[in-house]
Amino acid sequence: MTIQYDEDLVAGWLRRFKWALKRMPSPEREDIVAETRAHLHERMAGGLTAVQALANFGAPEAYAGKFLDEMYLSAAAGSQSWSDNLRAVARFATRSGVAFVAIFVVLMVGSLGLGFLIAGVWKIFDPAHVGMWVGPRDFALGVVDHPEASRELLGNWMYPLCAAAVALAWFICRGVLLWAVRILAPKA
């Protein structure tokens, strides 16, 4: 009776484990499940009950998370795609200070870059109200309601400034993500 119970318990745990690994390519997933099954059977052959053996592995979703983390970081470390790097670093943002700082910097610098992109495009459609403005009591980069109360400093130089700011934001964000992935990736 306990042998059947143990087998059913292990089979159910392995089913949940395999389901938790669904994002992993099939050949790798099958290898990991087979290896985990072998480890479980070794422990049970060594005298542990199924409950004791499974307790060492923890919840199947948590155990699968370790393999998925490694897969995402390995893919990001070997990739030049910013989306792979962002996805991998975001996955660790709540568990790693490095990832949290990287995501924070990407959000802040990316927002500034997006702001410059919007200002540059908006300048094309409303050049009389968009620019770098200085007045008696204010300084603004962007849109003003009453351009006659201020003086526009950049004119058409707004376009190269916005393009340079967007490019700089892109390179900073990319560099921060690559730095974070290098630190987080498992060392070979």
Side-chain angles (χ1 to χ4, degrees):
M1 180 75 170
T2 59
I3 293 174
Q4 184 60 41
Y5 171 77
D6 285 354
E7 286 300 318
D8 290 345
L9 192 62
V10 168
W13 190 93
L14 287 169
R15 193 171 31 258
R16 287 176 48 203
F17 177 60
K18 185 176 181 178
W19 183 82
L21 292 172
K22 71 181 181 277
R23 294 188 178 183
M24 188 170 277
S26 183
E28 288 180 46
R29 180 178 57 237
E30 297 303 327
D31 289 346
I32 291 170
V33 171
E35 188 174 326
T36 303
R37 180 182 294 115
H39 285 302
L40 283 168
H41 286 294
E42 279 178 28
R43 289 178 183 198
M44 290 168 52
L48 294 178
T49 66
V51 172
Q52 292 169 330
L54 291 171
N56 292 334
F57 285 89
E61 295 80 11
Y63 189 63
K66 297 172 187 174
F67 292 100
L68 292 171
D69 287 346
E70 185 177 327
M71 178 189 74
Y72 283 121
L73 282 173
S74 296
S79 173
Q80 294 300 313
S81 168
W82 67 269
S83 60
D84 289 345
N85 291 317
L86 181 61
R87 190 177 306 115
V89 173
R91 187 171 173 85
F92 285 88
T94 60
R95 296 180 275 160
S96 165
V98 168
F100 178 80
V101 167
I103 293 296
F104 181 78
V105 169
V106 166
L107 286 174
M108 292 300 109
V109 173
S111 296
L112 284 171
L114 181 61
F116 274 100
L117 178 65
I118 291 169
V121 171
W122 200 331
K123 175 95 172 152
I124 295 170
F125 298 106
D126 191 8
H129 291 96
V130 179
M132 182 179 283
W133 303 93
V134 65
R137 291 178 301 223
D138 60 348
F139 177 80
L141 177 64
V143 181
V144 295
D145 291 332
H146 303 288
E148 62 279 352
S150 302
R151 185 170 55 102
E152 212 275 311
L153 298 176
L154 289 176
N156 285 336
W157 284 99
M158 178 79 171
Y159 300 116
L161 173 72
C162 288
V166 168
L168 182 62
W170 170 262
F171 285 115
I172 289 172
C173 291
R174 183 165 166 72
V176 167
L177 288 173
L178 289 172
W179 165 78
V181 166
R182 269 190 241 116
I183 289 176
L184 295 170
K187 308 300 184 246

